[in-house]
């Protein structure tokens, strides 16, 4: 592959999975019982009622399990096979990039398909749908929690550091289906541009990123 396509990074958001039928959840009320994502995806909600939170995540896992990667997911996986220095940074937790064949994936917000022990920080992958018991427990007896970043929590330091490093080194950043309002992910395109990369945005409508992207494809 020519040097003009070396060091390509992609930042993907909820819009890329919406095409597969995955709801974005952001700002939408009444998706599950009478709760919003902002009411359930928090540490305080989990402390208050872990079973309720897990019922919601179990429902989300069942919903996503019925979805399939779309042409955009498959195209990015194909790009990875042809570009040596390729990194995919995603805000999504649905795992559709991996199901499409992507391997070099940085999951900023975690994954629906992993759970973490609240006592030992043991992380396990679990694709069972539905989960056999709610809330699930670690072999040590402690509660497991979804291995996702909740409202009010910081992104995993190692993953964020790797994302920063990737965009600083890239020559081309493709921004696909992200709203451009969720930080710190929304700051990555500007970091890439300041480091000399070309930023190309793909979306169904303009976002805050559109104002400074080198090219916007709607």
């Amino acid at each position: 592959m020519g040097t003009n396509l070396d060091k390509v990074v992609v930042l993907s958001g909820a819009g890329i999975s919406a095409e597969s039928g995955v709801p974005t959840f952001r700002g939408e009320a009444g998706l599950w019982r009478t709760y919003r994502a902002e009411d359930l995806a928090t540490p305080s909600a989990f402390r208050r009622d872990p079973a309720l939170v897990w019922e919601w995540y179990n429902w989300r896992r069942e919903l996503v399990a019925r979805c399939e990667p779309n042409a955009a997911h498959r195209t990015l996986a194909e790009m990875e096979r042809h570009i040596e220095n390729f990194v995919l940074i995603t805000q999504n937790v649905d795992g559709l990039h991996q199901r499409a064949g992507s391997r070099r994936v940085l999951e900023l917000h975690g994954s629906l398909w992993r759970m973490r022990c609240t006592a030992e920080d043991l992380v396990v992958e679990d694709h069972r749908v539905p989960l056999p018991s709610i809330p699930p427990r670690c072999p040590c007896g402690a509660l497991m929690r979804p291995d996702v970043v909740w409202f009010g929590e910081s992104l995993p330091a190692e993953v964020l550091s790797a994302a920063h490093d990737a965009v600083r080194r890239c020559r081309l950043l493709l921004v696909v289906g992200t709203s451009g309002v969720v930080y710190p992910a929304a700051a990555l395109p500007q970091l890439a541009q300041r480091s000399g990369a070309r930023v190309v945005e793909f979306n169904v409508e303009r976002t805050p990123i559109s104002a400074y992207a080198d090219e916007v494809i709607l």
Side-chain angles (χ1 to χ4, degrees), residues 164-187:
H164 283 159
D165 185 59
V167 299
R168 284 194 190 99
R169 294 170 179 268
C170 77
R171 297 181 56 154
L172 173 66
L173 175 67
L174 307 180
V175 185
V176 186
T178 178
S179 64
V181 298
V182 181
Y183 285 83

Side-chain angles (χ1 to χ4, degrees), residues 121-200:
D121 270 349
L122 171 73
V123 176
V124 297
E125 194 163 317
D126 191 327
H127 290 262
R128 290 177 294 178
V129 175
L131 286 168
S133 62
I134 294 177
R137 290 189 176 272
C138 178
C140 76
L143 283 172
M144 301 291 279
R145 59 159 282 178
D147 189 31
V148 297
V149 178
W150 283 332
F151 292 103
E153 293 184 326
S154 299
L155 270 61
E158 288 186 9
V159 176
L160 185 58
S161 176
H164 283 159
D165 185 59
V167 299
R168 284 194 190 99
R169 294 170 179 268
C170 77
R171 297 181 56 154
L172 173 66
L173 175 67
L174 307 180
V175 185
V176 186
T178 178
S179 64
V181 298
V182 181
Y183 285 83
L188 293 175
Q190 285 183 302
L191 176 59
Q193 196 172 60
R194 288 198 303 270
S195 302
R198 179 174 176 82
V199 175
V200 182

Side-chain angles (χ1 to χ4, degrees), residues 14-34:
I16 196 169
S17 291
E19 190 75 13
S20 293
V22 179
T24 63
F25 295 105
R26 176 155 295 280
E28 298 179 30
L31 280 166
W32 187 76
R33 300 190 186 177
T34 59

